[in-house]
């Protein structure tokens, strides 16, 4: 569990939302792109930061499955990571607006910092000084002392920081190892240079790029800097001369990743064009195409001594390449030095490597979805073109359908039923994330029998509110969600339970305030509480509230705690005789029913009752007693209902009629007529 900026449920008029992620309990492999990678040469471990919110640790020497364990505490993209304190600590930055401090060897989260109000996009690390800086879309750069961060505990979760504010969103940061120079790159298309020891004053502003600066590297002595931009160029800057001394045009599109060797004589670059180049900075015309990836390149990580050879000055052995694909690869650099010359043709040049040394396989991400019109099931299609069926209200996979036609599956599973929208779907993590909002979460009522649920009540006509039942399942392990009585032994026992359950490992996030695709709006931060379903009644090692009632929104608490039944959706309609009958209307005014889930057969019975009472001046007919025995069946044989001249099925509900047959705004209009035999 983790929480930040604790608030009170229902405070003010701030928006509240509950979200959950449908996933396996252990997601061993990346489900989406890999934004960052770090290598620990002592343990020969690789750390990957995923767009699926998970940091994973891999054994680079494993012959079979390299997966070791995961570090999970973020719930949005992990955008950057840095290993500190000789690999013992790891710092992560995420689009959930937090900075997290981890014990890298054990995988435990030591602390969470809310020093930013928007996506945190990048980190920079000064190894010799043990200093870290973070920056992102809130336009601020924050400095941290690593020793102070790793000393944080549950009882001491605050630390002093320094920060500086810029005028544009920051996408890249870099520091030299001694921490004497920090450079930032932003959507201002320029570089800003700071002295981290001062933390405030901008020493210089370097202009030259024509688009966002996405990648930076600073030389060890702090005298030079490399920048990669969405304008497709790489620029080499002299910080002493405060000018660009070389412009490299080796890519056909945006440059998103840079690495340089320790002597700053070779730069490795990658980006949207999926190519990785090595360029000699002493003679920029000399370059080598190392490899071509299958997806745009997000990050590069140089590995020295990976092959156990004696490392040579200016030469590294291999390069890990992370892309928007869930798999990432390690490429040899042995052939780079021999083929680095200016004699090549860009149109015909081929990479020196066609196969990687190693590949860490990922799983496919969900790229497409369709909510079936029962508003209970979702069809998805992943990047391997596999189609799957999911149940939202049980947060589970129903069936893997394989490589079938997605559109055909949608048509095959279509039902003539309309259920109101009551949730939204997000595929940002490569998994199904479901959002429940106060405005519509209780809009969906369904027949328990029709959807195969077995509620506590055995009534044939039991109606379920999907939002209500899902919330009860999500909070099943929260003690306040249940009623207890004392048994003969004096023990409290639970006397109620949900009609169905979700997996215990389901990740739930409660939002207070504003959150959007860019974290916050107009500088207003949002508060959140993250927990796993089975931990709803517990407190974890982080400094979090002991009770969920500090966070559960009032609209959810009314249902979960106080067991209030959501209001059904009323429907107003006009009931008129078909012009062909010559019958006078029952009433001229509109009729109102307490639930739009009312079936057509109930309206038919109402009409038949009126028509029957009209026989013999309002007296019952001679067959009255017999008709009462099976009133509904007889009514269906004698009266039919129409909408827009289409005869309606008696088992259809009125909301379905309005959606599929009326198809217009305004009150529903139905016509009835006597069936002639």
């Amino acid at each position: 569990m983790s929480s930040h900026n604790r608030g009170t449920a229902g405070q003010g008029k701030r928006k509240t939302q509950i979200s959950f992620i449908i996933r396996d309990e252990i997601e061993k492999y990346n489900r989406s792109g890999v934004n960052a990678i770090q290598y620990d040469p002592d343990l020969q471990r690789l750390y990957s930061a995923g767009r699926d919110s998970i940091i994973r640790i891999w054994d680079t020497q494993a012959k079979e499955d390299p997966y070791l364990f995961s570090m999970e505490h973020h719930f949005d993209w992990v955008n950057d990571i840095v290993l500190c304190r000789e690999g013992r600590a790891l710092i992560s930055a995420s689009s959930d607006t937090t900075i997290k401090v981890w014990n890298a060897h054990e995988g435990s989260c030591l602390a969470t910092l809310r020093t930013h109000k928007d996506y945190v996009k990048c980190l920079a690390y000064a190894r010799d000084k043990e200093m870290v800086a973070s920056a992102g879309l809130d336009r601020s750069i924050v400095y941290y002392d690593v020793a102070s961060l790793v000393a944080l505990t549950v009882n001491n979760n605050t630390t002093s920081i320094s920060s500086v504010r810029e005028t544009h969103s920051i996408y890249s940061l870099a520091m030299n190892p001694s921490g004497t120079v920090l450079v930032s790159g932003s959507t201002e298309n320029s570089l800003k240079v700071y002295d981290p020891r001062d933390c405030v004053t901008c020493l210089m502003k370097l202009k030259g790029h024509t688009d966002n600066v996405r990648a930076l590297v600073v030389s060890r002595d702090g005298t030079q800097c490399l920048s990669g931009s969405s304008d497709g160029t790489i620029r080499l800057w002299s910080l002493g001369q405060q000018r660009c001394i070389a412009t490299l045009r080796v890519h056909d599109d945006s440059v998103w990743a840079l690495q340089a060797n320790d002597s700053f004589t070779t730069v490795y670059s990658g980006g949207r064009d999926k190519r990785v180049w090595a360029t000699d900075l002493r003679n920029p015309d000399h370059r080598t195409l190392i490899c071509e990836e299958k997806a745009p390149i997000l990050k590069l990580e140089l590995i020295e001594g990976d092959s156990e050879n004696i490392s040579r000055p200016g030469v590294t052995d291999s390069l890990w390449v992370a892309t928007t694909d869930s798999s990432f690869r390690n490429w040899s650099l042995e052939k780079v030095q021999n083929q680095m010359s200016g004699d090549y043709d860009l149109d015909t040049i081929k990479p020196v490597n066609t196969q990687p040394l190693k590949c860490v396989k990922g799983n496919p991400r969900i790229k497409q979805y369709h909510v079936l019109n029962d508003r209970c099931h979702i069809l998805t299609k992943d990047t391997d073109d596999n189609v799957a069926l999911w149940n939202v209200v049980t947060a589970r996979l129903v069936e893997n359908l394989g490589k079938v036609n997605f559109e055909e599956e949608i048509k095959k599973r279509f039902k003539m039923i309309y259920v109101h929208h009551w949730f939204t779907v997000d595929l940002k993590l490569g998994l199904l994330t479901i959002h429940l909002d106060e405005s519509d979460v209780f809009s969906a009522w369904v027949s328990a029998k029709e959807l195969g649920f077995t509620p506590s009540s055995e009534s044939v006509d039991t109606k379920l509110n999907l939002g209500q039942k899902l919330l009860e399942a999500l909070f099943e392990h929260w003690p306040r969600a249940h009623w207890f009585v004392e048994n003969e032994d004096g023990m409290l026992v639970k006397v109620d339970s949900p009609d169905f359950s979700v997996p215990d490992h389901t990740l739930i996030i409660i939002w207070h305030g504003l959150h959007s695709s860019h974290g916050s709006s107009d500088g207003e931060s949002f508060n959140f509480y993250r927990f796993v379903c089975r931990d709803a009644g517990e407190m974890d090692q982080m400094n979090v509230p002991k009770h969920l009632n500090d966070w559960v929104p009032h609209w959810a608490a009314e249902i979960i705690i106080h067991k209030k039944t959501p209001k059904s959706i009323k429907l107003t309609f006009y009931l008129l005789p078909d012009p062909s009958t010559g019958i006078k209307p029952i009433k001229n005014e509109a009729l109102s029913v307490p639930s739009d889930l009312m079936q057509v057969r109930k309206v038919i019975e109402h009409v038949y009752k009126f028509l029957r009472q009209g026989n013999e001046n309002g007296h019952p007919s001679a067959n009255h007693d017999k008709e009462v025995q099976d009133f509904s069946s007889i009514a269906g044989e004698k009266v039919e209902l129409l909408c827009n001249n289409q005869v309606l099925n008696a088992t259809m509900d009125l909301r379905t009629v309005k959606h599929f047959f009326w198809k217009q705004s305004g009150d529903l209009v139905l016509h009835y007529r006597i069936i002639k035999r």
Side-chain angles (χ1 to χ4, degrees):
M1 286 185 276
S2 65
S3 65
H4 310 282
N5 297 352
R6 185 169 81 176
T8 301
Q11 56 183 334
K13 293 184 178 180
R14 304 187 77 193
K15 180 180 178 181
T16 56
Q17 191 178 72
I18 297 175
S19 306
F20 65 96
I21 301 171
I22 303 177
R23 46 162 285 180
D24 293 335
E25 182 168 9
I26 299 177
E27 290 282 351
K28 290 180 63 175
Y29 306 108
N30 293 305
R31 284 281 191 169
S32 192
V34 178
N35 282 332
I37 42 180
Q38 288 277 281
Y39 181 69
D40 182 343
D42 294 331
L43 298 179
Q44 295 184 314
R45 287 180 174 181
L46 196 70
Y47 295 76
S48 65
R51 288 185 170 182
D52 58 7
S53 81
I54 301 173
I55 301 168
R56 295 176 176 84
I57 298 85
W58 313 89
D59 179 1
T60 60
Q61 299 304 303
K63 295 182 179 180
E64 295 183 359
D65 186 359
Y67 175 82
L68 293 174
F69 57 92
S70 297
M71 301 196 293
E72 298 190 47
H73 240 274
H74 289 295
F75 56 85
D76 205 336
W77 287 10
V78 184
N79 294 315
D80 206 357
I81 52 175
V82 291
L83 275 173
C84 309
R85 296 174 66 85
E86 298 179 338
R88 298 192 302 275
L90 183 136
I91 314 296
S92 60
S94 170
S95 292
D96 65 16
T97 76
T98 68
I99 300 290
K100 291 186 182 287
V101 186
W102 308 80
N103 180 319
H105 292 174
E106 297 177 1
S108 57
C109 184
L110 304 175
T112 300
L113 303 175
R114 285 297 303 267
T115 49
H116 291 274
K117 293 184 178 181
D118 210 328
Y119 288 6
V120 192
K121 297 294 292 183
C122 49
L123 297 169
Y125 174 51
R127 182 175 62 250
D128 300 342
K129 197 175 181 182
E130 289 295 344
M131 173 189 287
V132 169
S134 62
L137 302 192
D138 65 355
R139 308 172 187 177
S140 63
I141 302 172
V142 184
Y143 300 92
Y144 315 84
D145 173 62
V146 175
S148 298
L149 293 182
V150 298
L152 295 176
T153 64
V154 171
N155 297 321
N156 175 25
N157 200 32
T158 59
T159 184
S160 59
I161 60 171
S162 302
S163 63
V164 62
R165 181 85 171 173
E166 290 199 0
T167 57
H168 291 72
S169 295
I170 301 166
Y171 278 78
S172 53
L173 279 181
M175 270 196 292
N176 64 330
S178 60
T180 58
V181 173
L182 179 138
V183 184
S184 69
S186 71
T187 53
E188 193 179 10
N189 310 336
S190 63
L191 285 67
K192 288 186 178 180
V193 182
Y194 298 87
D195 183 345
R197 296 165 294 187
D198 175 72
C199 297
V200 176
T201 307
C202 177
L203 302 178
M204 67 188 81
K205 183 175 180 179
L206 304 174
K207 298 181 179 180
H209 284 296
T210 58
D211 208 335
N212 190 6
V213 180
R214 295 290 300 269
L216 292 166
V217 181
V218 178
S219 64
R220 169 172 284 278
D221 59 9
T223 61
Q224 291 184 316
C225 176
L226 283 161
S227 60
S229 169
S230 295
D231 64 14
T233 67
I234 302 167
R235 289 179 179 266
L236 176 62
W237 306 84
S238 169
L239 301 185
Q241 300 176 40
Q242 299 189 23
R243 69 182 184 91
C244 176
I245 56 177
T247 300
L248 315 180
R249 294 180 171 84
V250 297
H251 290 276
D252 299 327
D253 210 326
S254 301
V255 180
W256 290 345
L258 294 176
Q259 285 275 275
N261 61 349
D262 194 56
S263 60
F264 225 66
T265 57
T266 303
V267 59
Y268 302 91
S269 58
R272 190 191 289 270
D273 65 3
K274 309 174 187 177
R275 290 183 162 193
V276 179
W277 286 92
T279 304
D280 189 338
L281 293 176
R282 297 160 299 187
N283 187 347
D285 287 335
H286 291 188
R287 64 194 69 158
T288 301
L289 180 59
I290 297 171
C291 62
E292 287 192 69
E293 283 283 358
K294 299 177 181 179
I297 295 159
L298 297 174
K299 210 75 168 184
L300 304 174
E301 176 76 354
L302 282 172
I303 308 299
E304 296 184 356
D306 186 57
S307 62
E308 299 184 357
N309 293 332
I310 298 175
S311 60
R312 301 179 299 276
V315 178
T316 53
D317 295 308
S318 66
L319 188 71
W320 282 98
V321 180
T323 72
T324 57
D325 182 33
S326 59
S327 301
F328 55 98
R329 300 165 183 82
N330 182 235
W331 298 89
S332 171
L333 299 179
E334 290 182 355
K335 300 178 182 178
V336 170
Q337 196 68 15
N338 295 332
Q339 296 197 20
M340 192 172 285
S341 68
D343 301 326
Y344 60 87
D345 184 344
L346 277 176
D347 295 329
T348 59
I349 191 169
K350 294 183 178 180
V352 294
N353 298 303
T354 57
Q355 295 294 326
L357 296 173
K358 299 172 184 175
C359 177
V360 176
K361 293 285 188 180
N363 278 337
R365 65 175 173 83
I366 298 173
K367 65 177 182 179
Q368 189 177 359
Y369 75 92
H370 178 83
V371 180
L372 298 182
N373 57 333
D374 63 6
R375 299 288 180 256
C376 179
H377 294 90
I378 299 177
L379 275 174
T380 62
K381 184 178 181 179
D382 65 26
T383 48
D384 284 350
D385 292 328
N386 291 307
V387 177
L389 179 68
W390 307 79
N391 189 320
V392 175
V393 292
T394 60
R396 285 181 170 88
L397 173 68
V398 176
E399 184 182 3
N400 273 314
L401 302 172
K403 292 178 171 28
V404 297
N405 187 290
F406 187 64
E407 300 301 328
E408 289 300 319
E409 279 299 316
I410 293 174
K411 293 177 182 178
K412 184 195 304 184
R413 296 173 186 274
F414 174 81
K415 296 179 181 178
M416 185 64 76
I417 181 175
Y418 178 75
V419 180
H420 294 286
H421 296 272
W422 62 283
F423 63 85
T424 55
V425 181
D426 184 352
L427 299 182
K428 185 180 181 183
L429 302 182
L431 301 161
L432 282 175
T433 300
I434 308 298
H435 301 296
L436 308 176
D437 192 89
E438 178 183 10
S439 62
D440 55 11
V441 64
F442 302 122
S443 300
W445 288 88
V446 296
S447 164
K449 184 177 179 180
E450 183 177 283
L451 290 185
F453 296 136
T454 307
S456 300
S457 171
E458 296 298 328
S459 172
V460 176
D461 292 324
T462 297
K463 302 296 186 292
L464 297 180
N465 185 280
L466 294 181
Q468 175 189 12
K469 295 304 176 183
L470 176 57
L471 285 173
E472 290 174 354
L474 291 174
F475 290 86
E476 177 182 4
H477 297 281
W478 186 28
R480 289 201 67 192
H482 302 286
W483 292 341
F484 295 84
V485 296
E486 191 173 304
N487 64 11
E488 296 176 354
D489 300 324
M491 302 291 291
L492 290 176
V493 294
K494 188 168 59 177
V495 296
D496 64 331
S497 60
D499 292 316
F500 52 89
S501 62
V502 301
D504 285 351
H505 64 264
T506 301
L507 177 61
I508 304 168
I509 306 105
I510 302 176
W511 310 87
H512 284 174
L514 300 168
H515 80 283
S516 64
S517 60
H518 277 181
S520 63
S521 174
D522 298 327
E524 292 189 50
S525 63
F526 60 88
N527 312 329
F528 60 86
Y529 182 58
R530 173 197 184 277
F531 66 100
V532 174
C533 180
R534 59 173 166 256
D535 297 333
E538 301 176 3
M539 177 179 176
D540 71 352
Q541 62 183 356
M542 304 297 293
N543 186 20
V544 301
K546 291 183 180 180
H547 303 291
L548 262 179
N549 53 288
D550 289 324
W551 287 92
V552 175
H554 69 88
W555 50 268
E558 289 290 294
I559 301 298
I560 301 167
I561 301 173
H562 304 297
K563 310 301 180 185
K564 290 192 175 181
T565 302
K567 293 181 180 179
S568 57
I569 299 175
K570 295 181 179 179
L571 180 72
T572 301
F573 66 98
Y574 287 90
L575 185 59
L576 305 172
D578 189 77
S580 64
T581 64
I583 302 174
K584 292 182 180 181
I586 299 175
K587 290 183 179 180
N588 292 324
E589 66 268 17
L591 302 176
S592 179
V593 292
S595 171
D596 62 359
L597 205 56
M598 176 181 282
Q599 290 188 330
V600 168
R601 66 179 177 84
K602 290 292 186 182
V603 182
I604 291 176
E605 290 172 12
H606 173 74
V607 173
Y608 179 61
K609 182 178 180 180
F610 165 76
L611 294 177
R612 188 187 61 181
Q613 289 176 346
N615 291 338
E616 300 181 1
N617 297 320
H619 296 289
S621 66
N623 297 322
H624 171 69
D625 293 337
K626 181 180 178 182
E627 291 175 359
V628 168
Q629 296 174 4
D630 198 359
F631 185 82
S632 179
S633 175
I634 295 174
E637 293 175 357
K638 295 191 174 183
V639 177
E640 61 186 6
L641 219 58
L642 300 90
C643 181
N644 280 336
N645 296 318
Q646 297 184 68
V647 177
L648 303 176
N649 188 310
T651 61
M652 195 174 292
D653 56 60
L654 294 183
R655 64 184 179 185
T656 300
V657 173
K658 187 172 183 179
H659 181 77
F660 287 106
F661 294 90
W662 184 238
K663 297 181 181 179
Q664 55 188 291
S665 59
D667 292 333
L668 173 66
V669 177
L670 301 175
H671 289 89
Y672 61 87
R673 67 187 179 196
I674 299 172
I675 299 175
K676 297 179 180 179
R677 299 294 181 184

